[in-house]
Amino acid sequence: MKSPVLAIVLVLLGTFFLLNNLGLLDVSLWHLLAVWWPVILIALGLSMFFAPGPGGRK
């Protein structure tokens, strides 16, 4: 069974852009990325750490 993480991220990102284009949300994505980019690295590292290796759980 595939993980729905990518689908959830795409839906949230699309919702963010739609709300921003409609003027309902006034947030700069670039400002958020400039401040919170280390969290992305931490999340990627944790996902790699806890992902089952070859021959592990499937």
Side-chain angles (χ1 to χ4, degrees):
M1 184 171 170
K2 293 182 353 182
S3 175
V5 173
L6 181 59
I8 293 170
V9 168
L10 287 174
V11 168
L12 291 176
L13 196 59
T15 303
F16 172 80
F17 282 123
L18 178 63
L19 292 175
N20 200 13
N21 284 342
L22 292 174
L24 299 174
L25 186 65
D26 188 24
V27 176
S28 170
L29 181 61
W30 300 119
H31 177 70
L32 287 175
L33 285 176
V35 173
W36 292 99
W37 67 268
V39 174
I40 297 170
L41 294 178
I42 293 168
L44 285 172
L46 287 173
S47 70
M48 292 169 67
F49 184 73
F50 288 110
R57 291 183 295 163
K58 292 185 180 179

